[in-house]
Amino acid sequence: VTENAPCVDCGGEHAATFLGENGPLCDTCFDARISAATGYPRLPAAPGPVTFTGPDGRAHRMRLRLVRNPGGIAAEAVEEPGGDADSGYRLEVLGPHGADPHTLLDTLTQHLEREIATLYLTPSPLTGDWSVAGTQVAGRLSEDEHGESGVVIDGRRLSWEQFGRALGPLDGWEFRICFGPHEPA
Ligand SMILES: [Zn+2]
């Protein structure tokens, strides 16, 4: 399902959620159905996109979402354009069902500011390939539209081969991999 299919309830864009057979639904119509079915209060509409500019001058226009999941409320930021998962920044903050959505959005915004202000990769002066800037790398695992797995770091998609080359300066180092939300250093 692409994000281009309109919401089946309102015809709106950014409809990507299915509720059983019903969908795609936009976040607002999804929340209306969840609220009606569960009695949870309606979530406010997420504010419009916000743009953050990284230290390299690239502007990142982030679309904000508020979605009630079975486990609680998710405030999510997805870079536009870029559709779903293949590149661009994508961050999420989770809270319990009773969380204040505005507090979640504030926390998400702070994470976005810190994350976009941190560049983990730098172009290698020798080869022009991406190379680690320090001793820490954060991002996410991501399959592209062809099912090819890779990573997204600094909002950029790298193949495993490119990522392996980027780690070249750390050859011989010990390492530890932790999965999950992270705090930039
Ligand atoms: Zn809708």
Side-chain angles (χ1 to χ4, degrees), residues 115 120 136-140 152-154 182:
E115 194 59 19
Y120 297 102
Q136 200 179 134
V137 178
R140 71 174 184 281
V152 177
I153 300 166
D154 298 342
H182 56 274

Side-chain angles (χ1 to χ4, degrees), residues 58 60-62 77-91 116 139-140 142 151-157:
R58 285 186 303 153
H60 304 277
R61 184 177 150 94
M62 306 300 301
V78 184
E79 183 164 351
E80 298 188 315
D84 208 278
D86 28 340
S87 69
Y89 282 95
R90 187 179 190 121
L91 272 81
I116 291 176
R140 71 174 184 281
S142 168
V151 294
V152 177
I153 300 166
D154 298 342
R156 280 196 178 86
R157 194 185 151 74

